[in-house]
Amino acid sequence: MPELDQRVSGLCGETVEQQAYLTRFLLDYTVMPLVGRTFLRGVLPTREAVRIVTGAADAEAARELVAYEIPLSDDDDEPVTAPLVLGWTRALASGGLPRPDGSVMGMALVRVDTADVEPAPPARTDRALRVLRTLAWPFVETPPNPALCGFLFTGLDSMRLYLAVEEADGLIAADVRLTGALTALLAALPALVGEKERWVADTADPHCVHAVDLTTW
């Protein structure tokens, strides 16, 4: 099946905000299963959809992962909510794998027609998380900068972050390690990803316009 390369560039502010909102909401499911032994392994941003990557907690190879592409808007052109995206993803992950429409970054890609999928109802843990998030992470007027619009686990000790950087016409993908001087890296990250001399092309990843390798920083 061919790779689907629709490179993300020139995202509008509203799309960036929605991608960041969806990413924040779904983070807990990287450590808590979506269903059975299936976990969230990534959230990949595109212009008009979000690609929810699922797989086993220890999955590393792209062939072990599935990306479900879910539209960012409903039939009335209203933004879809994060609980609805979670419900659709959980319902899809609970059944047999639908026939993939292609592949992206080596992963099977399934384009979802949400009219054909009944979202799974919220679990008790979802409701508990809603209470805890509201109290621990209240809404603030000033969102984080740069905004985290997606991520992908790329190994047991590494991940790729998709960040909205003002200097770029699209998202910057930053590769980082999960060990080492994390506190220092996170403090320096906003400045590092904005340094254009660090930017390189990554033709294998359609979800960014540039990549930055910070795995050895």
Side-chain angles (χ1 to χ4, degrees), residues 173-205:
D175 292 307
V176 300
R177 292 210 171 274
L178 303 178
T179 53
L182 263 183
T183 300
L185 173 62
L186 291 173
L189 189 64
L192 293 173
V193 296
E195 295 174 356
K196 295 183 180 181
E197 60 270 22
R198 294 182 180 272
W199 296 355
V200 297
D202 186 347
T203 57
D205 188 346

